[in-house]
Amino acid sequence: MRIGIIGTGYVGLVTGACFAEGGHAVVCVDCDAEKVETLKAGGIPIYEPGLEALVKRNVAAGRLSFTTSTKEGVDKSDVIFIAVPTPPQPDGAVDLSFIEGVARDIAAAMTSYKIVADKSTVPVKTGEKVAETIKRYCKAKVEFDVVSNPEFLREGFAVEDFMRPDRVVVGVASQRPVQAMKEVYAPYNAPIIVTDIHSAELIKHAANSFLALKISYINAISIICEATGANVQEVAIGIGMDARIGRRFLDAGLGFGGSCFPKDLSAFIHISEHLGYDFRLLKEVQRINAEQMDRFVKKIIDTLWVLKEKKIGVLGLAFKQNTDDVRMSPAIELCQRLQKEGAMLRVHDPKAMEKAKAVLKDVTFVGDMNAVADGCDALVVATEWAEFKKLDLERARKVLTHPILFDSRNLFDPMEMERLGFIYKSVGRFRQGLNYEL
Ligand code: NAD
């Protein structure tokens, strides 16, 4: 198939590279000329495991190219995917101006039948508006179909998720685009669910809200664990082994963040309200999430008392491991909260330091994770990078002014930390679990 992708960010670039890997001819479009230049020169503007090799291989094979011209992207494609941002507005509603702009650009460029598939996360009924817009602005008056094709990839595992999706959702208004969409996804051997457009759009918001709900649920359980001496990791394993529940997204911590969950939850609450339903359940999910951060900051203040001029080392800035994305990162929020209390920070992240420099000011960025603790009053783990588990704890204990470690991601074993001489505070547990085997 000939495929165009409008918007070459975390979703668009991964989608483009994976479609090319599947044998399709792909043109990725982005309005950011610098990004397109970087890509054309062989650079990769984001960190995503496996992506660089995939992009290079497919560019070399002539299946993947980059341009700033939507017209070129449309001309060279039968199916055009929209993967532009859908950021939140202050009231929680989605700013759909990027989508509307792209719909107009596509309409202006169309000279023959096209399938326009929306991959951006949008509120239910957006597809209708996209179709209306294309119809209004398409001078050539050619036929087209709008499809809703929400994306479920996770940053940090994006290539893997795209190549082996649990399911592909295709929302259509008629049968006409179904066969072509099936051909697009044929190389990935995934179950394809064909629905109407409204349902497809709802599936994405409903799925992300449910995952956020799971995280808030286990975070609420962690409060009960702390009040009783139970261990939230044992509880998560115990409930997660029930196939009806599942273990994933049951890790207590700082709460969810990133560019999707917070905004998608707000958007879903907002569109529900607009449709006449007060989604109180999801409002509570948001409240628990915000409180989880408050509780962790309080834990630090309760231990260190006055933070003014205290030196704190922070491990992790990305919103989760395996990504350089710091958008709505709880780790960044934690840093800013500590700075507000007057703390001076030494910070490290394996991949996200460059992106963090744009949002985190007046901190010392440290290249070596083991050097972060040097001269600090305490150390904080803020992102669950697996490599932090290999931190030289003996060294950290010696170089910290006081051997205090706050672990918001439950990376370490409380008993071992105690044995090493740390004052160790994590989330929802005081002791290591018993002898469970996983
Ligand atoms: P992003 O900011 O990384 O990328 C968007 C890209 O679109 C940017 O490179 C931007 O320059 C470009 N762009 C903006 N307007 C454009 C225009 N008019 N023409 C061409 N390019 C334009 O965003 P993202 O994280 O890839 O998210 C894109 C969409 O996918 C959002 O709706 C998001 O909610 C959804 N989504 C994201 C993820 C994720 O993990 N990041 C997962 C699933 C769905």
Side-chain angles (χ1 to χ4, degrees):
M1 301 290 289
R2 298 187 318 147
I3 292 174
I5 315 272
I6 317 290
T8 309
Y10 282 89
V11 168
L13 184 56
V14 171
T15 301
C18 291
F19 278 154
E21 182 74 3
H24 301 305
V26 181
V27 184
C28 283
V29 181
D30 205 285
C31 59
D32 180 341
E34 205 179 307
K35 193 178 262 190
V36 171
E37 274 320 303
T38 303
L39 286 159
K40 280 185 168 170
I44 305 290
I46 55 170
Y47 172 72
E48 193 56 54
L51 184 60
E52 188 168 358
L54 204 63
V55 170
K56 288 201 164 135
R57 184 160 64 240
N58 284 285
V59 168
R63 287 190 296 263
L64 180 61
S65 62
F66 304 99
T67 177
T68 51
S69 161
T70 303
K71 171 92 182 118
E72 183 185 338
V74 172
D75 282 346
K76 289 184 172 167
S77 314
D78 304 309
V79 186
I80 301 146
F81 288 86
I82 302 177
V84 294
T86 46
Q89 303 191 95
D91 65 352
V94 181
D95 174 359
L96 289 167
S97 59
F98 294 87
I99 300 277
E100 197 257 1
V102 170
R104 279 193 279 131
D105 291 347
I106 293 171
M110 275 179 6
T111 53
S112 59
Y113 172 77
K114 305 284 174 190
I115 294 171
V116 179
D118 174 45
K119 234 179 209 317
S120 295
T121 304
V122 294
V124 59
K125 295 180 123 183
T126 301
E128 260 175 26
K129 292 284 179 203
V130 169
E132 270 172 35
T133 306
I134 295 177
K135 206 166 176 187
R136 192 172 304 144
Y137 288 89
C138 179
K139 295 239 158 52
K141 299 292 169 212
V142 292
E143 295 201 337
F144 66 92
D145 278 299
V146 167
V147 169
S148 168
N149 176 220
E151 182 49 59
F152 300 96
L153 62 77
R154 297 163 298 165
E155 285 178 26
F157 302 90
V159 172
E160 203 181 308
D161 285 350
F162 199 95
M163 298 305 265
R164 277 175 291 278
D166 291 339
R167 80 307 206 183
V168 171
V169 174
V170 175
V172 292
S174 76
Q175 279 302 306
R176 184 166 54 172
V178 172
Q179 190 49 36
M181 291 302 290
K182 284 187 174 167
E183 276 172 44
V184 166
Y185 281 101
Y188 313 97
N189 211 10
I192 297 179
I193 304 166
V194 179
T195 68
D196 63 88
I197 293 181
H198 294 348
S199 303
E201 290 167 337
L202 260 175
I203 286 169
K204 177 64 189 178
H205 267 164
N208 271 8
S209 300
F210 189 78
L211 293 171
L213 180 147
K214 256 186 119 173
I215 295 171
S216 279
Y217 185 74
I218 200 68
N219 280 333
I221 299 282
S222 79
I223 299 171
I224 307 297
C225 289
E226 287 186 8
T228 56
N231 180 320
V232 74
Q233 284 177 315
E234 288 181 2
V235 176
I237 289 163
I239 60 178
M241 283 173 85
D242 185 328
R244 294 170 301 177
I245 296 172
R247 172 67 182 84
R248 289 160 82 188
F249 287 80
L250 287 180
D251 290 307
L254 271 189
F256 55 81
S259 69
C260 290
F261 283 6
K263 95 168 159 63
D264 293 350
L265 205 59
S266 300
F268 200 23
I269 290 169
H270 192 275
I271 186 75
S272 302
E273 222 148 76
H274 181 73
L275 295 168
Y277 178 60
D278 180 8
F279 217 142
R280 292 187 298 275
L281 176 66
L282 295 186
K283 288 180 180 168
E284 191 58 20
V285 169
Q286 283 181 319
R287 196 183 62 78
I288 294 169
N289 200 53
E291 278 180 10
Q292 196 69 3
M293 175 65 72
D294 295 344
R295 291 172 59 80
F296 198 75
V297 171
K298 183 171 180 302
K299 212 173 260 181
I300 296 173
I301 294 173
D302 284 351
T303 309
L304 299 180
W305 193 20
V306 175
L307 295 194
K308 196 158 175 255
E309 286 171 15
K310 293 250 163 69
K311 244 195 214 173
I312 299 179
V314 179
L315 288 167
L317 299 169
F319 84 98
K320 62 176 184 176
Q321 68 165 330
N322 289 331
T323 182
D324 62 349
D325 197 348
V326 295
R327 292 176 290 179
M328 297 291 285
S329 169
I332 298 282
E333 188 186 337
L334 180 61
C335 287
Q336 289 166 341
R337 295 277 292 264
L338 297 177
Q339 280 184 312
K340 223 169 152 187
E341 294 292 328
M344 296 176 299
L345 305 183
R346 290 170 60 76
V347 303
H348 169 82
D349 189 282
K351 294 288 177 198
M353 300 236 270
E354 273 319 300
K355 296 223 160 107
K357 281 177 188 163
V359 286
L360 207 51
K361 303 295 172 196
D362 304 321
V363 303
T364 306
F365 288 93
V366 182
D368 171 10
M369 71 170 175
N370 283 306
V372 171
D374 290 359
C376 285
D377 295 278
L379 199 54
V380 176
V381 175
T383 308
E384 73 282 17
W385 282 95
E387 56 209 86
F388 293 161
K389 287 186 190 162
K390 296 187 194 124
L391 191 73
D392 186 341
L393 290 166
E394 296 273 7
R395 182 188 184 281
R397 197 199 55 234
K398 283 185 199 135
V399 299
L400 282 167
T401 319
H402 311 285
I404 305 173
L405 198 150
F406 300 97
D407 180 2
S408 73
R409 303 294 182 166
N410 290 346
L411 289 190
F412 299 109
D413 168 352
M415 255 151 65
E416 177 65 6
M417 295 304 282
E418 202 176 305
R419 194 189 63 75
L420 287 169
F422 279 93
I423 296 168
Y424 175 73
K425 311 243 164 159
S426 55
V427 178
R429 56 188 203 149
F430 294 106
R431 60 186 172 83
Q432 178 62 351
L434 303 174
N435 285 329
Y436 50 78
E437 293 283 334
L438 284 183

